[in-house]
Amino acid sequence: QVQLVESGGGLVQVGGSLRLSCAASGSIFDINGMGWHRQAPGKQREFLAFITSSGSTTYADSVKGRFTISRDNAKITVYLQMNSLKPEDTAVYYCQFRRGTVKYSYFWGQGTQVTVSS
């Protein structure tokens, strides 16, 4: 029943910036972490960033220093600020919510296309 609605994707030039957002469309609780992954054509889905409800963050090496993850716990929303974009950043971007206390479950967004043109 829970759906994660993503927005902010689109076409941007090399060196430009985009900000993605992802929010739950229905009631959801016990969210303890939120993250972002991406998948380029012909490649495995790649982990990008994760943030806990307390604000601790983890980044993949490929995006450290360029991407920033943030969240609004009250709105149950996660953001991904993407700067200094490169053509290799072109992919479908997926948000992820982690739910639970003792046992975790995961919810995924439908994906949003980001295209970086050279």
Side-chain angles (χ1 to χ4, degrees), residues 23-51:
S25 63
S27 297
I28 191 168
F29 52 89
D30 290 338
I31 299 300
N32 54 54
M34 309 175 192
W36 290 93
H37 293 66
R38 69 186 179 190
Q39 188 168 21
K43 294 188 176 182
Q44 297 280 343
R45 187 168 296 190
E46 174 190 15
F47 166 80
L48 297 177
F50 192 81
I51 186 168

PDB file of all heavy atoms in Angstrom, residues 23-51:
ATOM      1  N   ALA A  23       9.061  11.112  -1.098  1.00  0.00           N
ATOM      2  CA  ALA A  23       8.181  11.147   0.061  1.00  0.00           C
ATOM      3  C   ALA A  23       7.177  10.011   0.002  1.00  0.00           C
ATOM      4  O   ALA A  23       6.740   9.607  -1.075  1.00  0.00           O
ATOM      5  CB  ALA A  23       7.449  12.480   0.129  1.00  0.00           C
ATOM      6  N   ALA A  24       6.799   9.514   1.154  1.00  0.00           N
ATOM      7  CA  ALA A  24       5.792   8.473   1.239  1.00  0.00           C
ATOM      8  C   ALA A  24       4.418   9.048   0.950  1.00  0.00           C
ATOM      9  O   ALA A  24       4.047  10.099   1.481  1.00  0.00           O
ATOM     10  CB  ALA A  24       5.811   7.825   2.612  1.00  0.00           C
ATOM     11  N   SER A  25       3.660   8.358   0.100  1.00  0.00           N
ATOM     12  CA  SER A  25       2.336   8.846  -0.273  1.00  0.00           C
ATOM     13  C   SER A  25       1.259   8.452   0.724  1.00  0.00           C
ATOM     14  O   SER A  25       0.195   9.055   0.747  1.00  0.00           O
ATOM     15  CB  SER A  25       1.963   8.319  -1.665  1.00  0.00           C
ATOM     16  OG  SER A  25       1.868   6.906  -1.661  1.00  0.00           O
ATOM     17  N   GLY A  26       1.494   7.437   1.520  1.00  0.00           N
ATOM     18  CA  GLY A  26       0.546   6.973   2.506  1.00  0.00           C
ATOM     19  C   GLY A  26       1.147   6.952   3.894  1.00  0.00           C
ATOM     20  O   GLY A  26       2.293   7.363   4.100  1.00  0.00           O
ATOM     21  N   SER A  27       0.352   6.483   4.831  1.00  0.00           N
ATOM     22  CA  SER A  27       0.812   6.406   6.209  1.00  0.00           C
ATOM     23  C   SER A  27       1.935   5.389   6.336  1.00  0.00           C
ATOM     24  O   SER A  27       1.853   4.285   5.809  1.00  0.00           O
ATOM     25  CB  SER A  27      -0.349   6.023   7.124  1.00  0.00           C
ATOM     26  OG  SER A  27      -1.353   7.018   7.109  1.00  0.00           O
ATOM     27  N   ILE A  28       2.951   5.789   7.041  1.00  0.00           N
ATOM     28  CA  ILE A  28       4.082   4.909   7.277  1.00  0.00           C
ATOM     29  C   ILE A  28       4.743   5.322   8.584  1.00  0.00           C
ATOM     30  O   ILE A  28       4.739   6.503   8.949  1.00  0.00           O
ATOM     31  CB  ILE A  28       5.078   4.954   6.097  1.00  0.00           C
ATOM     32  CG1 ILE A  28       6.118   3.844   6.214  1.00  0.00           C
ATOM     33  CG2 ILE A  28       5.728   6.326   5.994  1.00  0.00           C
ATOM     34  CD1 ILE A  28       6.934   3.669   4.943  1.00  0.00           C
ATOM     35  N   PHE A  29       5.276   4.360   9.283  1.00  0.00           N
ATOM     36  CA  PHE A  29       5.898   4.639  10.566  1.00  0.00           C
ATOM     37  C   PHE A  29       7.087   3.709  10.788  1.00  0.00           C
ATOM     38  O   PHE A  29       7.336   2.801   9.999  1.00  0.00           O
ATOM     39  CB  PHE A  29       4.871   4.500  11.703  1.00  0.00           C
ATOM     40  CG  PHE A  29       4.120   3.198  11.699  1.00  0.00           C
ATOM     41  CD1 PHE A  29       4.607   2.094  12.368  1.00  0.00           C
ATOM     42  CD2 PHE A  29       2.921   3.073  11.009  1.00  0.00           C
ATOM     43  CE1 PHE A  29       3.928   0.894  12.369  1.00  0.00           C
ATOM     44  CE2 PHE A  29       2.220   1.879  10.996  1.00  0.00           C
ATOM     45  CZ  PHE A  29       2.732   0.782  11.678  1.00  0.00           C
ATOM     46  N   ASP A  30       7.778   3.955  11.863  1.00  0.00           N
ATOM     47  CA  ASP A  30       8.977   3.186  12.219  1.00  0.00           C
ATOM     48  C   ASP A  30      10.045   3.255  11.130  1.00  0.00           C
ATOM     49  O   ASP A  30      10.787   2.298  10.915  1.00  0.00           O
ATOM     50  CB  ASP A  30       8.635   1.722  12.516  1.00  0.00           C
ATOM     51  CG  ASP A  30       7.860   1.541  13.803  1.00  0.00           C
ATOM     52  OD1 ASP A  30       7.940   2.428  14.672  1.00  0.00           O
ATOM     53  OD2 ASP A  30       7.175   0.514  13.939  1.00  0.00           O
ATOM     54  N   ILE A  31      10.133   4.396  10.458  1.00  0.00           N
ATOM     55  CA  ILE A  31      11.173   4.607   9.467  1.00  0.00           C
ATOM     56  C   ILE A  31      12.458   4.989  10.199  1.00  0.00           C
ATOM     57  O   ILE A  31      12.500   5.987  10.919  1.00  0.00           O
ATOM     58  CB  ILE A  31      10.796   5.700   8.462  1.00  0.00           C
ATOM     59  CG1 ILE A  31       9.529   5.303   7.700  1.00  0.00           C
ATOM     60  CG2 ILE A  31      11.950   5.963   7.505  1.00  0.00           C
ATOM     61  CD1 ILE A  31       9.676   4.016   6.919  1.00  0.00           C
ATOM     62  N   ASN A  32      13.488   4.201  10.024  1.00  0.00           N
ATOM     63  CA  ASN A  32      14.749   4.467  10.706  1.00  0.00           C
ATOM     64  C   ASN A  32      15.907   4.801   9.768  1.00  0.00           C
ATOM     65  O   ASN A  32      17.023   5.058  10.231  1.00  0.00           O
ATOM     66  CB  ASN A  32      15.140   3.297  11.611  1.00  0.00           C
ATOM     67  CG  ASN A  32      15.173   1.976  10.878  1.00  0.00           C
ATOM     68  OD1 ASN A  32      15.840   1.847   9.860  1.00  0.00           O
ATOM     69  ND2 ASN A  32      14.458   0.997  11.398  1.00  0.00           N
ATOM     70  N   GLY A  33      15.643   4.790   8.473  1.00  0.00           N
ATOM     71  CA  GLY A  33      16.678   5.151   7.534  1.00  0.00           C
ATOM     72  C   GLY A  33      16.116   5.346   6.140  1.00  0.00           C
ATOM     73  O   GLY A  33      15.069   4.791   5.799  1.00  0.00           O
ATOM     74  N   MET A  34      16.813   6.136   5.350  1.00  0.00           N
ATOM     75  CA  MET A  34      16.408   6.413   3.978  1.00  0.00           C
ATOM     76  C   MET A  34      17.654   6.479   3.103  1.00  0.00           C
ATOM     77  O   MET A  34      18.703   6.927   3.555  1.00  0.00           O
ATOM     78  CB  MET A  34      15.653   7.739   3.879  1.00  0.00           C
ATOM     79  CG  MET A  34      14.514   7.884   4.873  1.00  0.00           C
ATOM     80  SD  MET A  34      13.767   9.539   4.797  1.00  0.00           S
ATOM     81  CE  MET A  34      12.766   9.496   6.273  1.00  0.00           C
ATOM     82  N   GLY A  35      17.510   6.043   1.871  1.00  0.00           N
ATOM     83  CA  GLY A  35      18.678   6.032   1.011  1.00  0.00           C
ATOM     84  C   GLY A  35      18.355   6.210  -0.452  1.00  0.00           C
ATOM     85  O   GLY A  35      17.189   6.339  -0.849  1.00  0.00           O
ATOM     86  N   TRP A  36      19.413   6.236  -1.246  1.00  0.00           N
ATOM     87  CA  TRP A  36      19.306   6.373  -2.690  1.00  0.00           C
ATOM     88  C   TRP A  36      20.205   5.364  -3.388  1.00  0.00           C
ATOM     89  O   TRP A  36      21.344   5.124  -2.950  1.00  0.00           O
ATOM     90  CB  TRP A  36      19.705   7.780  -3.149  1.00  0.00           C
ATOM     91  CG  TRP A  36      18.731   8.839  -2.754  1.00  0.00           C
ATOM     92  CD1 TRP A  36      18.754   9.614  -1.646  1.00  0.00           C
ATOM     93  CD2 TRP A  36      17.572   9.247  -3.496  1.00  0.00           C
ATOM     94  NE1 TRP A  36      17.691  10.480  -1.634  1.00  0.00           N
ATOM     95  CE2 TRP A  36      16.948  10.267  -2.762  1.00  0.00           C
ATOM     96  CE3 TRP A  36      17.006   8.841  -4.707  1.00  0.00           C
ATOM     97  CZ2 TRP A  36      15.781  10.899  -3.199  1.00  0.00           C
ATOM     98  CZ3 TRP A  36      15.845   9.458  -5.140  1.00  0.00           C
ATOM     99  CH2 TRP A  36      15.248  10.478  -4.393  1.00  0.00           C
ATOM    100  N   HIS A  37      19.696   4.782  -4.450  1.00  0.00           N
ATOM    101  CA  HIS A  37      20.446   3.913  -5.351  1.00  0.00           C
ATOM    102  C   HIS A  37      20.204   4.387  -6.778  1.00  0.00           C
ATOM    103  O   HIS A  37      19.275   5.157  -7.029  1.00  0.00           O
ATOM    104  CB  HIS A  37      19.999   2.457  -5.224  1.00  0.00           C
ATOM    105  CG  HIS A  37      20.312   1.806  -3.908  1.00  0.00           C
ATOM    106  ND1 HIS A  37      19.734   2.198  -2.728  1.00  0.00           N
ATOM    107  CD2 HIS A  37      21.142   0.773  -3.605  1.00  0.00           C
ATOM    108  CE1 HIS A  37      20.177   1.442  -1.743  1.00  0.00           C
ATOM    109  NE2 HIS A  37      21.035   0.568  -2.251  1.00  0.00           N
ATOM    110  N   ARG A  38      21.016   3.904  -7.703  1.00  0.00           N
ATOM    111  CA  ARG A  38      20.788   4.207  -9.102  1.00  0.00           C
ATOM    112  C   ARG A  38      21.142   2.999  -9.950  1.00  0.00           C
ATOM    113  O   ARG A  38      21.894   2.126  -9.528  1.00  0.00           O
ATOM    114  CB  ARG A  38      21.594   5.428  -9.559  1.00  0.00           C
ATOM    115  CG  ARG A  38      23.097   5.198  -9.628  1.00  0.00           C
ATOM    116  CD  ARG A  38      23.819   6.492  -9.948  1.00  0.00           C
ATOM    117  NE  ARG A  38      25.265   6.306  -9.997  1.00  0.00           N
ATOM    118  CZ  ARG A  38      26.139   7.298 -10.058  1.00  0.00           C
ATOM    119  NH1 ARG A  38      25.711   8.559 -10.074  1.00  0.00           N
ATOM    120  NH2 ARG A  38      27.437   7.038 -10.104  1.00  0.00           N
ATOM    121  N   GLN A  39      20.598   2.973 -11.160  1.00  0.00           N
ATOM    122  CA  GLN A  39      20.873   1.892 -12.081  1.00  0.00           C
ATOM    123  C   GLN A  39      20.978   2.442 -13.493  1.00  0.00           C
ATOM    124  O   GLN A  39      20.031   3.033 -14.009  1.00  0.00           O
ATOM    125  CB  GLN A  39      19.796   0.814 -12.020  1.00  0.00           C
ATOM    126  CG  GLN A  39      20.130  -0.426 -12.828  1.00  0.00           C
ATOM    127  CD  GLN A  39      19.205  -1.580 -12.520  1.00  0.00           C
ATOM    128  OE1 GLN A  39      18.097  -1.386 -12.010  1.00  0.00           O
ATOM    129  NE2 GLN A  39      19.648  -2.785 -12.805  1.00  0.00           N
ATOM    130  N   ALA A  40      22.140   2.253 -14.087  1.00  0.00           N
ATOM    131  CA  ALA A  40      22.371   2.633 -15.469  1.00  0.00           C
ATOM    132  C   ALA A  40      22.091   1.434 -16.366  1.00  0.00           C
ATOM    133  O   ALA A  40      22.169   0.289 -15.919  1.00  0.00           O
ATOM    134  CB  ALA A  40      23.804   3.114 -15.654  1.00  0.00           C
ATOM    135  N   PRO A  41      21.772   1.659 -17.638  1.00  0.00           N
ATOM    136  CA  PRO A  41      21.496   0.548 -18.547  1.00  0.00           C
ATOM    137  C   PRO A  41      22.638  -0.456 -18.591  1.00  0.00           C
ATOM    138  O   PRO A  41      23.800  -0.081 -18.734  1.00  0.00           O
ATOM    139  CB  PRO A  41      21.315   1.237 -19.898  1.00  0.00           C
ATOM    140  CG  PRO A  41      20.841   2.608 -19.559  1.00  0.00           C
ATOM    141  CD  PRO A  41      21.587   2.969 -18.304  1.00  0.00           C
ATOM    142  N   GLY A  42      22.301  -1.728 -18.448  1.00  0.00           N
ATOM    143  CA  GLY A  42      23.290  -2.784 -18.509  1.00  0.00           C
ATOM    144  C   GLY A  42      24.132  -2.955 -17.267  1.00  0.00           C
ATOM    145  O   GLY A  42      25.076  -3.751 -17.271  1.00  0.00           O
ATOM    146  N   LYS A  43      23.811  -2.236 -16.202  1.00  0.00           N
ATOM    147  CA  LYS A  43      24.595  -2.314 -14.986  1.00  0.00           C
ATOM    148  C   LYS A  43      23.727  -2.691 -13.789  1.00  0.00           C
ATOM    149  O   LYS A  43      22.506  -2.566 -13.818  1.00  0.00           O
ATOM    150  CB  LYS A  43      25.303  -0.986 -14.710  1.00  0.00           C
ATOM    151  CG  LYS A  43      26.356  -0.616 -15.735  1.00  0.00           C
ATOM    152  CD  LYS A  43      27.150   0.590 -15.295  1.00  0.00           C
ATOM    153  CE  LYS A  43      28.270   0.905 -16.272  1.00  0.00           C
ATOM    154  NZ  LYS A  43      29.074   2.057 -15.815  1.00  0.00           N
ATOM    155  N   GLN A  44      24.389  -3.168 -12.741  1.00  0.00           N
ATOM    156  CA  GLN A  44      23.708  -3.494 -11.498  1.00  0.00           C
ATOM    157  C   GLN A  44      23.252  -2.223 -10.795  1.00  0.00           C
ATOM    158  O   GLN A  44      23.822  -1.150 -10.987  1.00  0.00           O
ATOM    159  CB  GLN A  44      24.638  -4.283 -10.578  1.00  0.00           C
ATOM    160  CG  GLN A  44      25.086  -5.631 -11.116  1.00  0.00           C
ATOM    161  CD  GLN A  44      24.031  -6.694 -10.934  1.00  0.00           C
ATOM    162  OE1 GLN A  44      23.097  -6.530 -10.152  1.00  0.00           O
ATOM    163  NE2 GLN A  44      24.177  -7.792 -11.646  1.00  0.00           N
ATOM    164  N   ARG A  45      22.221  -2.361  -9.975  1.00  0.00           N
ATOM    165  CA  ARG A  45      21.802  -1.237  -9.164  1.00  0.00           C
ATOM    166  C   ARG A  45      22.910  -0.905  -8.169  1.00  0.00           C
ATOM    167  O   ARG A  45      23.456  -1.793  -7.501  1.00  0.00           O
ATOM    168  CB  ARG A  45      20.494  -1.553  -8.437  1.00  0.00           C
ATOM    169  CG  ARG A  45      19.915  -0.354  -7.702  1.00  0.00           C
ATOM    170  CD  ARG A  45      18.489  -0.609  -7.236  1.00  0.00           C
ATOM    171  NE  ARG A  45      17.568  -0.797  -8.346  1.00  0.00           N
ATOM    172  CZ  ARG A  45      16.240  -0.841  -8.212  1.00  0.00           C
ATOM    173  NH1 ARG A  45      15.684  -0.704  -7.029  1.00  0.00           N
ATOM    174  NH2 ARG A  45      15.483  -1.034  -9.289  1.00  0.00           N
ATOM    175  N   GLU A  46      23.224   0.363  -8.067  1.00  0.00           N
ATOM    176  CA  GLU A  46      24.368   0.838  -7.306  1.00  0.00           C
ATOM    177  C   GLU A  46      23.924   1.652  -6.096  1.00  0.00           C
ATOM    178  O   GLU A  46      23.118   2.575  -6.215  1.00  0.00           O
ATOM    179  CB  GLU A  46      25.262   1.692  -8.212  1.00  0.00           C
ATOM    180  CG  GLU A  46      26.432   2.370  -7.520  1.00  0.00           C
ATOM    181  CD  GLU A  46      27.123   3.382  -8.412  1.00  0.00           C
ATOM    182  OE1 GLU A  46      26.535   3.765  -9.449  1.00  0.00           O
ATOM    183  OE2 GLU A  46      28.257   3.787  -8.082  1.00  0.00           O
ATOM    184  N   PHE A  47      24.477   1.330  -4.943  1.00  0.00           N
ATOM    185  CA  PHE A  47      24.227   2.118  -3.747  1.00  0.00           C
ATOM    186  C   PHE A  47      24.901   3.475  -3.848  1.00  0.00           C
ATOM    187  O   PHE A  47      26.053   3.573  -4.278  1.00  0.00           O
ATOM    188  CB  PHE A  47      24.759   1.384  -2.508  1.00  0.00           C
ATOM    189  CG  PHE A  47      24.844   2.257  -1.289  1.00  0.00           C
ATOM    190  CD1 PHE A  47      23.720   2.537  -0.532  1.00  0.00           C
ATOM    191  CD2 PHE A  47      26.052   2.807  -0.896  1.00  0.00           C
ATOM    192  CE1 PHE A  47      23.789   3.347   0.588  1.00  0.00           C
ATOM    193  CE2 PHE A  47      26.141   3.618   0.222  1.00  0.00           C
ATOM    194  CZ  PHE A  47      25.004   3.887   0.963  1.00  0.00           C
ATOM    195  N   LEU A  48      24.198   4.518  -3.433  1.00  0.00           N
ATOM    196  CA  LEU A  48      24.742   5.869  -3.481  1.00  0.00           C
ATOM    197  C   LEU A  48      24.908   6.490  -2.098  1.00  0.00           C
ATOM    198  O   LEU A  48      25.975   7.013  -1.763  1.00  0.00           O
ATOM    199  CB  LEU A  48      23.850   6.779  -4.321  1.00  0.00           C
ATOM    200  CG  LEU A  48      23.705   6.423  -5.790  1.00  0.00           C
ATOM    201  CD1 LEU A  48      22.727   7.382  -6.450  1.00  0.00           C
ATOM    202  CD2 LEU A  48      25.058   6.454  -6.483  1.00  0.00           C
ATOM    203  N   ALA A  49      23.847   6.491  -1.317  1.00  0.00           N
ATOM    204  CA  ALA A  49      23.871   7.197  -0.042  1.00  0.00           C
ATOM    205  C   ALA A  49      22.777   6.680   0.873  1.00  0.00           C
ATOM    206  O   ALA A  49      21.749   6.180   0.412  1.00  0.00           O
ATOM    207  CB  ALA A  49      23.696   8.702  -0.255  1.00  0.00           C
ATOM    208  N   PHE A  50      23.007   6.827   2.167  1.00  0.00           N
ATOM    209  CA  PHE A  50      22.030   6.407   3.160  1.00  0.00           C
ATOM    210  C   PHE A  50      22.105   7.349   4.352  1.00  0.00           C
ATOM    211  O   PHE A  50      23.188   7.823   4.706  1.00  0.00           O
ATOM    212  CB  PHE A  50      22.293   4.970   3.617  1.00  0.00           C
ATOM    213  CG  PHE A  50      21.175   4.370   4.427  1.00  0.00           C
ATOM    214  CD1 PHE A  50      20.067   3.838   3.801  1.00  0.00           C
ATOM    215  CD2 PHE A  50      21.234   4.342   5.810  1.00  0.00           C
ATOM    216  CE1 PHE A  50      19.028   3.284   4.529  1.00  0.00           C
ATOM    217  CE2 PHE A  50      20.206   3.796   6.554  1.00  0.00           C
ATOM    218  CZ  PHE A  50      19.100   3.267   5.909  1.00  0.00           C
ATOM    219  N   ILE A  51      20.958   7.610   4.952  1.00  0.00           N
ATOM    220  CA  ILE A  51      20.905   8.456   6.136  1.00  0.00           C
ATOM    221  C   ILE A  51      19.966   7.830   7.156  1.00  0.00           C
ATOM    222  O   ILE A  51      18.875   7.373   6.820  1.00  0.00           O
ATOM    223  CB  ILE A  51      20.473   9.898   5.779  1.00  0.00           C
ATOM    224  CG1 ILE A  51      20.557  10.810   7.004  1.00  0.00           C
ATOM    225  CG2 ILE A  51      19.081   9.917   5.159  1.00  0.00           C
ATOM    226  CD1 ILE A  51      20.426  12.289   6.652  1.00  0.00           C
TER     227      ILE A  51
END
